[in-house]
């Protein structure tokens, strides 16, 4: 069964550094998402992406965050000038057509630790 | 504002016992409702979803959920729990329309005693 993959599984960085989290969505999917889960808290929506543009973003997704689909398979989340509060599990998801009844398929997550 | 509440943070059941995980939502219209499960080291896997029609929804792994509009609830059930069901379960609500953003509850961690 096709699945969403994410690398790395765990990323440790120093505060102020830049990180790039990588995701490979399911190949025929057109809509891509990032969510995050701070330890002990809810899974929160960050951003959705379609046709090489951001469709929607949350208030968490400030100007330090960016997303990109650099090629036909990868979908990345970049965080510049990382802060301690960016430490979280980051989930990538993809869906086929983004319609009301569509299903989002999630990757296993990348645990980001900012020291 | 849309929100999802899962009142139970941790639940422990014995293997073979029945299970019900609670989920309440706040939404202005009929929402799209989902249950996901996360096993250790795994991503969020969809168990079932409700969009319209029959309010009792069947999912994978023997799970079912019932949408009750009057109670704003979408509780997940399983008649007989297996040790492999130990995981964290998330209820989520989706907003009708494209680019469906999911709003998650805090999750319920299920432990299964042999």
């Amino acid at each position: 069964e096709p699945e969403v993959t994410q690398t790395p599984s765990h990323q440790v960085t120093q505060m102020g550094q830049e990180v790039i989290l990588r995701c490979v969505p399911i190949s025929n999917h057109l809509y891509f998402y990032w969510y995050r889960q701070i330890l002990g808290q809810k899974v929160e929506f960050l951003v959705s992406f379609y046709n090489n543009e951001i469709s929607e973003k949350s208030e968490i997704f400030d100007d330090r965050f960016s997303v990109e689909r650099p090629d036909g398979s990868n979908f990345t989340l970049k965080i510049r000038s990382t802060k301690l509060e960016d430490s979280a599990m980051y989930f990538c998801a993809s869906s086929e057509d983004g319609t009301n009844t569509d299903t989002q398929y999630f990757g296993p997550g990348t645990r980001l630790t900012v020291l | 504002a849309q929100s999802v509440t899962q009142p139970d943070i941790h639940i422990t059941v014995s293997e073979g016992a029945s299970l019900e995980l609670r989920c309440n939502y706040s939404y202005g219209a009929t929402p799209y409702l989902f249950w996901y499960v996360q096993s250790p080291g795994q991503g969020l896997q969809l168990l079932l979803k409700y969009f319209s029609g029959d309010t009792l929804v069947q999912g994978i792994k023997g799970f079912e959920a019932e949408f009750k509009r009057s109670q704003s609830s979408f509780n997940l059930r399983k008649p007989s729990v297996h040790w492999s069901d130990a995981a964290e379960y998330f209820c989520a609500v989706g907003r009708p329309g494209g680019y469906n953003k999911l709003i998650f509850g805090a999750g319920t961690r299920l432990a299964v005693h042999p």
Side-chain angles (χ1 to χ4, degrees), chain B:
Chain B
Q2 304 152 12
S3 66
V4 178
T5 301
Q6 294 181 247
D8 305 305
I9 299 173
H10 294 280
I11 284 185
T12 301
V13 300
S14 298
E15 191 169 16
S18 63
L19 172 70
E20 182 169 27
L21 302 183
R22 295 182 291 165
C23 173
N24 293 96
Y25 66 89
S26 173
Y27 190 74
T30 301
Y32 299 104
L33 295 159
F34 306 80
W35 275 99
Y36 282 85
V37 60
Q38 184 183 26
S39 299
Q42 304 295 314
L44 298 167
Q45 180 185 23
L46 181 71
L47 285 175
L48 46 78
K49 58 188 178 184
Y50 172 78
F51 296 128
S52 65
D54 192 347
T55 57
L56 185 63
V57 180
Q58 301 297 319
I60 63 171
K61 304 185 179 185
F63 285 92
E64 66 177 26
E66 186 171 12
F67 170 62
K68 292 185 177 179
R69 184 192 305 275
S70 61
Q71 298 178 19
S72 297
S73 69
F74 188 56
N75 293 348
L76 182 71
R77 301 194 295 248
K78 187 169 184 178
S80 178
V81 170
H82 188 264
W83 63 267
S84 60
D85 294 324
E88 186 148 22
Y89 292 80
F90 294 93
C91 182
V93 60
R95 180 193 60 201
Y99 321 124
N100 196 8
K101 174 179 75 174
L102 295 178
I103 296 170
F104 284 86
T108 297
R109 184 166 295 280
L110 174 67
V112 181
H113 280 176

Side-chain angles (χ1 to χ4, degrees), chain A residues 31 33 35 37 40-45 48 50 55-56 89 91 98-109, chain B residues 4-5 32 34 36 38 41-44 46 49 51 88 90 95-106:
Chain A
Y31 292 80
Y33 313 82
Y35 293 79
Q37 184 182 28
Q41 298 186 23
K42 296 184 178 185
V43 176
E44 303 171 287
F45 170 81
S48 58
Y50 168 71
S55 308
E56 184 175 1
M89 179 73 87
F91 294 104
T99 58
N100 298 353
T101 58
D102 201 10
T103 294
Q104 293 181 32
Y105 293 87
F106 285 78
Chain B
V4 178
T5 301
Y32 299 104
F34 306 80
Y36 282 85
Q38 184 183 26
Q42 304 295 314
L44 298 167
L46 181 71
K49 58 188 178 184
F51 296 128
E88 186 148 22
F90 294 93
R95 180 193 60 201
Y99 321 124
N100 196 8
K101 174 179 75 174
L102 295 178
I103 296 170
F104 284 86

